[in-house]
């Protein structure tokens, strides 16, 4: 019999819907998705770990992941930066996902930019597919990738959520910059 991976589920209400947060025994994130996309998340887990490869169990207590994500939604964009992920996927997908984490909050890049960043400038379509297969949205910020013309393109949680996340990050960055620029000058 094949080993089943026990994963722990939590939910987090946010201004744009309820998030489902899934982690493992090592306290690594395995998946994040919107509750209204639960079927898609289960298909993704089955694709990565096999049809009967995971056992989903409600978490006994709230994790640091949920606390960090709650802080992110309250405006502390860097609260999620140190969260560790453990995702299945190809080596190419993992390279794309690592590059996504290097996009600063409040900024966007195109799929072509992302392909260049991983050293494969002709792999734009493959980068788009890897971006769409990202199982740990928000923490691995696939919402920060836009079309070459600046348009919002696909997001697994819907374009309204993508727009909200980008606006949320832009406002939080601007607010942080304003508070730094309005700080009193030092006397020396």
């Amino acid at each position: 019999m094949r080993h089943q991976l026990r994963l722990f589920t939590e939910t987090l209400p946010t201004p744009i819907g309820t998030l489902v947060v899934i982690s493992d025994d090592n306290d690594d994130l395995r998946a994040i998705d919107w509750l209204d996309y639960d079927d898609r998340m289960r298909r993704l887990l089955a694709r990565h770990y096999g049809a009967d490869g995971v056992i989903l169990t409600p978490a006994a207590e709230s994790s640091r992941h949920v606390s960090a994500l709650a802080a992110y939604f309250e405006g502390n964009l860097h609260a999620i930066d140190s969260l560790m992920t453990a995702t299945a996927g190809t080596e190419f997908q993992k390279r794309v996902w690592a590059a996504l984490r290097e996009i600063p909050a409040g900024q966007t890049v195109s799929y072509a930019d992302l392909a260049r960043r991983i050293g494969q400038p002709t792999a734009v379509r493959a980068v788009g597919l890897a971006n769409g297969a990202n199982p740990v949205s928000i923490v691995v910020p696939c919402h920060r990738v836009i079309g070459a013309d600046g348009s919002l393109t696909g997001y697994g949680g819907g374009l309204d959520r993508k727009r909200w996340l980008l606006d949320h990050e832009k406002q939080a960055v601007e607010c942080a910059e304003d508070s730094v620029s309005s700080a009193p000058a030092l006397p020396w």
Side-chain angles (χ1 to χ4, degrees):
M1 182 173 168
R2 187 176 154 180
H3 173 73
Q4 289 182 306
L5 180 63
R6 181 175 300 277
L7 300 177
F8 303 96
T9 64
E10 301 174 79
T11 57
L12 174 67
T14 76
I16 52 176
T18 300
L19 274 179
V20 177
V21 180
I22 299 178
S23 57
D24 63 20
D25 283 331
N26 294 325
D27 202 29
D28 290 330
L29 282 171
R30 293 289 182 142
I32 296 175
D33 213 334
W34 302 99
L35 185 60
D36 53 327
Y37 286 94
D38 188 61
D39 289 343
R40 180 190 62 206
M41 181 189 59
R42 290 177 185 275
R43 283 192 308 273
L44 183 68
L45 290 170
R47 184 179 315 130
H48 286 292
Y49 303 109
D52 296 318
V54 299
I55 299 170
L56 296 176
T57 306
E61 57 189 52
S62 184
S63 71
R64 65 188 177 94
H65 306 113
V66 168
S67 298
L69 284 159
Y72 166 89
F73 279 98
E74 291 169 4
N76 179 357
L77 304 181
H78 298 291
I80 60 175
D81 290 351
S82 64
L83 294 179
M84 299 301 294
T85 63
T87 55
T90 67
E91 288 307 311
F92 180 81
Q93 288 172 327
K94 289 178 181 182
R95 284 180 38 226
V96 171
W97 300 338
L100 288 171
R101 290 196 85 172
E102 295 174 6
I103 304 168
Q107 294 183 24
T108 57
V109 300
S110 71
Y111 293 95
D113 291 335
L114 193 55
R116 282 190 290 277
R117 287 179 182 211
I118 65 164
Q120 292 192 244
T122 61
V124 177
R125 287 185 65 124
V127 163
L129 291 171
N131 196 53
N134 169 23
V136 192
S137 67
I138 302 172
V139 172
V140 177
C142 51
H143 62 276
R144 295 180 189 156
V145 183
I146 59 173
D149 63 358
S151 64
L152 295 188
T153 58
Y155 177 67
L159 289 181
D160 287 342
R161 284 185 174 129
K162 181 173 185 163
R163 184 175 297 107
W164 189 95
L165 290 166
L166 292 173
D167 288 346
H168 169 67
E169 290 182 355
K170 183 179 178 188
Q171 290 170 3
V173 167
E174 287 173 356
C175 184
E177 289 171 351
D178 288 347
S179 67
V180 169
S181 66
S182 64
L186 297 175
W188 54 86

